[in-house]
Amino acid sequence: ATFPLRFRQVHVLNTSSLLRLGYNMIKPFLNEEIKKNILFLSSLDSFHNYVDKEILPEELGGTNGVFDNQDAAVAVYNMSEYFNRVHTYVQRNSSL
């Protein structure tokens, strides 16, 4: 299966030392491009150096209002029949 989405960078904020340890264990196996695009940041201020406050919700120190994904959640729930059809199709054709 594939996931048709490309990430430019992954910003990891306020992580536990256990997560950092896990990342450091797999880091030698990652290519340089991936290593360069996974950023561990210690604060929202450092995050704002990469992402403009104007596009962030208030919960992340931004100025774009309170985060509300209700419209997106409703759209996904309304597509449940479609996802079930895709799932059935994949199951039927997984042995090909």
Side-chain angles (χ1 to χ4, degrees):
T2 62
F3 188 66
L5 185 65
R6 180 182 169 148
F7 296 98
R8 288 189 177 186
Q9 287 185 326
V10 176
H11 299 262
V12 185
L13 292 165
N14 302 324
T15 67
S16 69
S17 56
L18 184 61
L19 181 62
R20 261 191 181 277
L21 177 66
Y23 174 71
N24 286 332
M25 289 173 63
I26 65 165
K27 191 174 177 179
F29 303 104
L30 301 175
N31 71 39
E32 291 303 317
E33 186 71 19
I34 292 174
K35 287 183 206 177
K36 181 179 80 173
N37 291 318
I38 297 177
L39 305 172
F40 285 84
L41 305 171
S42 60
S43 69
L44 283 175
D45 289 333
S46 58
F47 182 55
H48 296 148
N49 291 329
Y50 295 94
V51 180
D52 194 342
K53 288 182 177 185
E54 291 179 7
I55 65 169
L56 293 173
E58 291 175 9
E59 293 85 350
L60 294 176
T63 60
N64 197 19
V66 176
F67 178 73
D68 179 16
N69 71 338
Q70 187 64 33
D71 292 338
V74 168
V76 170
Y77 291 133
N78 288 338
M79 294 180 68
S80 63
E81 182 180 326
Y82 169 76
F83 291 128
N84 288 334
R85 286 195 329 258
V86 169
H87 179 72
T88 301
Y89 175 82
V90 170
Q91 281 185 325
R92 287 182 185 159
N93 295 290
S94 63
S95 62
L96 299 177

